[in-house]
Amino acid sequence: MPKTYKHLYPQVCGFDNLYLAHRQARKGGKRKHAEVAEFEHNLGENLLLLREELLTHAYRPGPYRSFIVVERKARKISAAPYRDRVVHHALINVLEPIFEPRFIHDTYANRAGKGTHRALDRAQWFARRFPYALQCDVREFFPSVDHAILLDLIARHVACPDTLWLIERILESGAGILSDCYTPVYFPGDDLFAVSRPRGLPIGNLTSQHWANLYLHPLDLFVKQELRCPAYLRYSDDFLLFAADKPTLHRWRDEIIAFLQTLRLTLHEEKAQVFPVRDGIDFLGWRLFPHYRRLRRDNVRYALRRLRRQQAAFARGELSQEALSASVRAWVAHAAHGNTYCLRRRILRRFVFHQE
């Protein structure tokens, strides 16, 4: 039997934890936002009121503000009100130490000490040792996350009724946010009402990021323990398997498709292909080869468009030199994780920044 944790809610609602959650939620320049400034204006009073609402179960999440972000593809991002983001941080501060030790080593999204560059390094390490790879991603993952299945996964370790009550409220607040991004799928045993099951995690929530890892944790265990794949890694809903021969990977592909049905998920089957690693792997915005890597062309085009926008904004005085410098340095540091020296020189020589 897995270990369960009780009496977590006093930790979630503790004033010190809520204050810490506020400090976490305002990071990244968010102190300049009006709703953050308003919350901070009467910080002690607002935290005490929020604590009282949580303790008495009077807390109700507010409406999301949704907008479309276009990078490689259009994504619907949903921002919760600031006080709700404080609650999300307070909850994850308590839940993360419970679930984090249970995750496998080779899952890299939204985990301390992991991230995209560690995932790229690991994928390239595998590519040097195995000649073939299977690349998969889950179809419409965040819109497809089934609330009943997620709650069951959480309840296997969290036996605190009050904490589960709060988790249910947060899930309910996001149900249907991504319904326009979901294509109904019927699984074996479904009735006509299956499409009405509560589902969906808003992209942009801290809780969504952590619960996405938890939701796919059974897949990680299946691949490692049942398929016994020695070379596997996952970043959110994108994952790679490596092997010495193609038939093994084709068999694993079929078994993964069948297993994902237990989580009410499907693969992009047309994209789930087996190929030689020497042909290169499109992963996390890069083209990986066993001994070198390059930025994808669409990522280079996106970087150029962003630099042009920043050049124009700086010329108009709408972007400070400090913000511009930080943004350019961040992109250069990211690009430096690949074989991009000549690319970086060529791009940066094209831009001269001056104010009118």
Side-chain angles (χ1 to χ4, degrees), residues 23-36:
R23 291 176 62 87
Q24 294 167 326
R26 75 179 184 183
K27 285 182 179 179
K30 297 184 179 68
R31 297 187 68 173
K32 299 178 182 178
H33 295 183
E35 61 174 345
V36 181

Side-chain angles (χ1 to χ4, degrees), residues 70-71 298-307 309:
V70 180
E71 292 180 355
D298 54 351
N299 275 12
V300 175
R301 289 195 294 267
Y302 177 74
L304 288 171
R305 288 196 298 269
R306 186 176 64 247
L307 284 169
R309 290 196 302 268

Side-chain angles (χ1 to χ4, degrees), residues 9-54:
Y9 205 56
Q11 300 176 48
V12 175
C13 301
F15 186 86
D16 289 345
N17 186 41
L18 289 173
Y19 178 67
L20 172 63
H22 154 68
R23 291 176 62 87
Q24 294 167 326
R26 75 179 184 183
K27 285 182 179 179
K30 297 184 179 68
R31 297 187 68 173
K32 299 178 182 178
H33 295 183
E35 61 174 345
V36 181
E38 183 179 354
F39 192 90
E40 283 196 315
H41 183 66
N42 293 303
L43 179 59
E45 181 180 334
N46 285 326
L47 289 176
L48 287 172
L49 176 60
L50 187 56
R51 181 173 186 269
E52 181 66 20
E53 289 181 11
L54 290 169

Side-chain angles (χ1 to χ4, degrees), residues 246-263:
K246 288 184 176 182
T248 297
L249 290 171
H250 283 294
R251 175 171 56 83
W252 286 348
R253 176 184 181 274
D254 293 340
E255 294 189 45
I256 286 170
I257 290 172
F259 177 80
L260 284 176
Q261 291 187 0
T262 67
L263 297 174

